[in-house]
Amino acid sequence: MIYWRECFILKPDTGSTAWKDSLDIAKNLSSKTNPIGTCLWFNTNTLYGKQSKTEKNKEYYKFGSGAYNEVVEKVVIGDHTFFRITGY
């Protein structure tokens, strides 16, 4: 018997370059550089711009409809902004 959830399990292309690159990184993590530092979250640059503000030379980010949190680390790579807020 095949269950519904088994029909939708992801089946990665293990022959793809992306898969091979990911596997290489996982196997050799200690010798790889980490371009995002200790950032814990990321968004597209567009969404980050909509959810952030700058006041008195400090940047703040708002998750959804919550309060703004001070951004203590931020790295922009291509179309994505990686960031970490105070307390994390």
Side-chain angles (χ1 to χ4, degrees):
M1 175 179 244
I2 297 177
Y3 293 96
W4 178 83
R5 69 174 193 261
E6 293 171 345
C7 295
F8 296 98
I9 294 174
L10 293 177
K11 296 179 182 173
D13 177 2
T14 57
S16 71
T17 301
W19 178 265
K20 291 174 184 173
D21 289 348
S22 297
L23 192 58
D24 176 61
I25 291 168
K27 286 181 177 180
N28 302 295
L29 192 57
S30 63
S31 67
K32 302 291 182 183
T33 58
N34 178 5
I36 63 167
T38 59
C39 295
L40 297 175
W41 296 277
F42 72 95
N43 278 321
T44 62
N45 297 340
T46 302
L47 181 58
Y48 184 86
K50 290 178 182 177
Q51 295 292 109
S52 64
K53 68 178 182 177
T54 302
E55 287 183 358
K56 298 180 183 176
N57 294 323
K58 291 187 179 183
E59 193 163 348
Y60 297 88
Y61 184 84
K62 177 175 68 168
F63 291 97
S65 60
Y68 281 93
N69 301 279
E70 184 179 353
V71 175
V72 294
E73 184 176 7
K74 175 180 151 185
V75 178
V76 177
I77 301 174
D79 293 332
H80 291 87
T81 301
F82 299 81
F83 63 100
R84 183 171 56 89
I85 60 170
T86 196
Y88 291 90

